[in-house]
Structure formats: structure tokens, C-alpha cells
């Protein structure tokens, strides 16, 4: 099973719950990680909290505070949708479908490897 809140931020979903600005609490903080002075002196990391559910998102993916604000809202919207809709959420369904696709690809690769191994064994037997 996929933990619900980890399934967010995979693809754009059209059927998400809408967020209002009154429900959000926004903070600009200093980011962390690599980047040195550019990271340590600028407040371009966004911490966004959805007050009714208590979900908090921290976004520091770009150097631009405006882009980070937009990305944080998208991520938060998906997480809130997952929180309220659960397994009925489009985000959850997309995540589940992509995992199924990944498992199928892995299974086919394993089968191909087994076929190649079998073919190699047959060729070695023919040479003897």
C-alpha cells in the first residue's frame, strides 16, 4: 500500500479540492542544503500550512520565491485532496497506476533476462 500523503506531486490532476487563501498560512524562511551564500542569505523557501487539516508543505525547489509559492500551493492542494478523499482521489489513482506500470516493466525485464539466460545455456549445450 502507498502511504497517502507520499502519493502527492506526481501528475497534474484536474479534479482536486479548491483551497482558499483564508485557509492558508504562509511563511518565507531561509532555505537549507547546498547553495552556499545564495541559499543562506535569502528567504525564498516557502512554508505553507493548511489550517483546517494541519498539513504543512515546505518548498525550496527553485531560487525564485514566486515560483516556490506556486509549487507549494500545487503540492499542498494535492496533499489536501489526498487527505480528504483518500483512495478515491485522482492523485492516489495515478500513483497506483504508475506503480502498476513500473511493476509490469520490471516483470517483463526479468522474463527477458531469463529467456536470454536460457538461450545462452542452449547454445552452450549445442557447442558441446
Amino acid at each position: 500500500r502507498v502511504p497517502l500523503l507520499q502519493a502527492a506531486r506526481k501528475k497534474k490532476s484536474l479534479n482536486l479540492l479548491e483551497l482558499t487563501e483564508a485557509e492558508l498560512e504562509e511563511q518565507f524562511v531561509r532555505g537549507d542544503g547546498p547553495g552556499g551564500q545564495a541559499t543562506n542569505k535569502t528567504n525564498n523557501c516557502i512554508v505553507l500550512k493548511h489550517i483546517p487539516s494541519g498539513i504543512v508543505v515546505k518548498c525550496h525547489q527553485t531560487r525564485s520565491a514566486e515560483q516556490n509559492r506556486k509549487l507549494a500551493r500545487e503540492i499542498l492542494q494535492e496533499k489536501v485532496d489526498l487527505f480528504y478523499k483518500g483512495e478515491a482521489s485522482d492523485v492516489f489513482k495515478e500513483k497506483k497506476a504508475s506503480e502498476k506500470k513500473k511493476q509490469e516493466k520490471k516483470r517483463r525485464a526479468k522474463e527477458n533476462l531469463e529467456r536470454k539466460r536460457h538461450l545462452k545455456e542452449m547454445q552452450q549445450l549445442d557447442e558441446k
Side-chain angles (χ1 to χ4, degrees):
R1 267 192 72 171
V2 179
L4 288 180
L5 293 180
Q6 289 183 358
R9 195 67 190 131
K10 294 299 167 189
K11 285 188 177 179
K12 300 249 184 227
S13 296
L14 302 174
N15 193 15
L16 297 177
L17 293 174
E18 293 297 320
L19 300 178
T20 60
E21 289 297 318
E23 296 175 332
L24 303 178
E25 186 178 290
E26 183 178 56
Q27 288 180 313
F28 293 88
V29 295
R30 289 195 175 123
D32 55 358
Q37 184 175 355
T39 299
N40 298 336
K41 286 193 172 184
T42 57
N43 292 338
N44 56 6
C45 180
I46 308 297
V47 177
L48 201 57
K49 180 178 181 180
H50 184 250
I51 298 167
S53 66
I55 297 173
V56 177
V57 170
K58 185 176 179 183
C59 183
H60 187 229
Q61 294 180 8
T62 68
R63 294 172 73 179
S64 165
E66 285 304 312
Q67 283 180 320
N68 286 334
R69 286 181 79 204
K70 183 180 176 187
L71 290 170
R73 279 172 170 67
E74 289 174 6
I75 295 168
L76 184 66
Q77 186 178 20
E78 291 178 2
K79 288 191 183 244
V80 168
D81 190 67
L82 277 170
F83 182 77
Y84 286 115
K85 291 183 181 177
E87 292 183 9
S89 172
D90 288 347
V91 176
F92 184 81
K93 290 175 186 175
E94 286 176 2
K95 173 70 175 173
K96 201 142 176 105
S98 71
E99 280 191 10
K100 191 174 181 181
K101 215 181 213 183
K102 186 176 178 181
Q103 287 174 350
E104 180 63 24
K105 188 175 180 181
K106 201 174 188 178
R107 185 189 62 77
R108 275 189 264 125
K110 193 174 182 180
E111 284 177 359
N112 285 340
L113 188 64
E114 192 62 36
R115 275 193 221 111
K116 285 179 183 179
R117 191 177 298 133
H118 183 69
L119 181 64
K120 199 172 192 179
E121 288 173 2
M122 295 300 283
Q123 287 174 347
Q124 287 175 350
L125 287 174
D126 287 344
E127 289 175 1
K128 291 180 181 181

